[in-house]
Amino acid sequence: MSILLTIIQIVLLVFIYKKREETESNLGWKIVGYFWLGAFAFKVNEIPLPLGFLLFLLIFRPMTNVKTKKRSAYLGLAFFLILHLILPAVERDLFERPRDVVAASNNMFQINFTNDWMTIRDQLKIDEQARLVYFKADYQKNGQIDRLYYYVVSVSEKDSVYYDINFSADTNRYSIRAEKTGVEGLEYVEFVEASRFFEVLDEVQVRNLSLEQPFVGYTLRFDGERIKDADEYQQKYMILGKEIKTITRNQLPAEGYPINLCGKGKSYELPTGSGVSNRCEANADFFFD
């Protein structure tokens, strides 16, 4: 794109030079100077301002080849708009456009999370050390997914990228939207790597993350951060590879990355008439390292 714009710039400057009103020494260099004056940008809080063109309007008063020099300055302004406003907006829209990736399954008990994540990661060229910020899945007792979505953030020292990943059970596809946040992603280094989380789910198998009694549906939620939890009133387990071991009271506080499992009963109408809900009737945390 930069090569194409450079060629267009040269062609237009030559055209302006040929349309000069009169002969003038060093006019070619002057045309180039007026062009760069019109294109010069000054940033205030990362907002580009056409300072060069403003100086041209306020200070510069060409006495010869007036139209030629004005055309060159206005051409510079046009390139300012293209480079600092139009192109960034187009690039942002192209970067943030939703992209779809086919899923392996629409069942929590059958899906291979690692394979799906690696497919998403490779197709969108996501950083291998990307952190999982949030994960939530609502599914029925047979594993059928009602809703699944999660958020991933790259950990680059430059602008980090936030990925919003939504699974559709109807199309059996993930819809991914990327957004540059404009801040360093290093603040997320304490969060677990997405690849590690999905590795744990695949190894232990979601069907084995269960509560003391069966429920109509379940919500599996993960907040990404490592914690210490001494709450003795909620059941806790430790995931060790394919094994799940109970954490007793005398082993508290539990430490690690907790996956919360919520068991839900039958749906019921909210008393306000604002919709249908099925609240959590039991909870348990499954910790892993």
Side-chain angles (χ1 to χ4, degrees), residues 4-276:
L4 177 61
L5 285 175
T6 301
I7 294 172
I8 293 173
Q9 170 193 329
I10 293 171
V11 170
L12 291 176
L13 287 175
V14 170
F15 177 78
I16 290 173
Y17 178 78
K18 289 184 176 180
K19 292 291 182 178
R20 62 191 182 278
E21 300 115 277
E22 56 187 286
T23 302
E24 182 178 342
S25 61
N26 298 318
L27 179 60
W29 291 112
K30 292 176 183 177
I31 289 175
V32 172
Y34 275 97
F35 169 82
W36 286 114
L37 181 64
F40 179 75
F42 180 77
K43 288 189 176 181
V44 178
N45 293 327
E46 297 303 314
I47 299 175
L49 300 175
L51 179 61
F53 187 75
L54 292 175
L55 291 174
F56 166 76
L57 293 177
L58 296 173
I59 300 174
F60 289 81
R61 295 288 187 271
M63 303 301 294
T64 56
N65 286 298
V66 176
K67 289 184 179 180
T68 298
K69 294 169 184 175
K70 282 186 176 181
R71 286 169 184 163
S72 182
Y74 277 101
L75 179 63
L77 176 63
F79 270 73
F80 165 85
L81 295 174
I82 292 171
L83 292 173
H84 295 283
L85 298 178
I86 298 174
L87 277 183
V90 171
E91 289 176 355
R92 184 177 62 251
D93 288 344
L94 288 174
F95 182 80
E96 295 180 358
R97 76 189 187 281
R99 279 161 282 187
D100 290 344
V101 173
V102 177
S105 173
N106 60 2
N107 190 291
M108 287 290 287
F109 303 156
Q110 300 171 5
I111 195 169
N112 189 308
F113 289 99
T114 299
N115 284 353
D116 280 5
W117 164 241
M118 289 180 66
T119 300
I120 293 170
R121 192 185 69 191
D122 292 345
Q123 290 195 21
L124 276 77
K125 296 180 173 56
I126 301 175
D127 175 20
E128 291 185 5
Q129 283 75 46
R131 265 43 178 188
L132 182 65
V133 177
Y134 186 75
F135 178 98
K136 186 177 181 181
D138 298 313
Y139 57 98
Q140 301 168 25
K141 62 181 179 181
N142 63 359
Q144 185 71 29
I145 298 173
D146 293 324
R147 189 181 182 196
L148 186 156
Y149 61 95
Y150 56 95
Y151 309 130
V152 173
V153 177
S154 64
V155 290
S156 170
E157 292 185 8
K158 299 179 181 179
D159 287 352
S160 57
V161 182
Y162 186 90
Y163 298 91
D164 184 340
I165 302 170
N166 277 274
F167 172 80
S168 170
D170 295 331
T171 62
N172 204 43
R173 289 174 177 270
Y174 296 97
S175 177
I176 304 102
R177 184 183 293 275
E179 179 183 357
K180 292 182 179 179
T181 63
V183 296
E184 291 184 3
L186 296 179
E187 62 185 277
Y188 295 100
V189 294
E190 298 300 324
F191 285 72
V192 71
E193 289 188 10
S195 57
R196 173 57 182 158
F197 174 76
F198 294 125
E199 177 186 47
V200 169
L201 284 188
D202 287 335
E203 189 169 16
V204 75
Q205 295 293 305
V206 173
R207 67 170 69 251
N208 294 323
L209 302 179
S210 59
L211 301 171
E212 293 181 353
Q213 66 183 83
F215 289 91
V216 172
Y218 298 89
T219 294
L220 190 148
R221 195 187 77 244
F222 180 70
D223 292 328
E225 293 185 276
R226 185 182 181 88
I227 67 168
K228 282 186 178 181
D229 188 358
D231 181 5
E232 60 185 41
Y233 297 103
Q234 182 165 305
Q235 186 60 61
K236 294 175 177 59
Y237 301 91
M238 179 62 71
I239 298 173
L240 300 170
K242 295 181 180 180
E243 291 187 75
I244 299 175
K245 293 189 175 182
T246 301
I247 298 175
T248 61
R249 288 187 178 183
N250 61 2
Q251 293 175 314
L252 295 176
E255 184 174 0
Y257 297 101
I259 301 172
N260 178 263
L261 182 66
C262 152
K264 300 181 293 186
K266 291 183 179 180
S267 301
Y268 62 93
E269 291 286 342
L270 293 171
T272 58
S274 58
V276 177

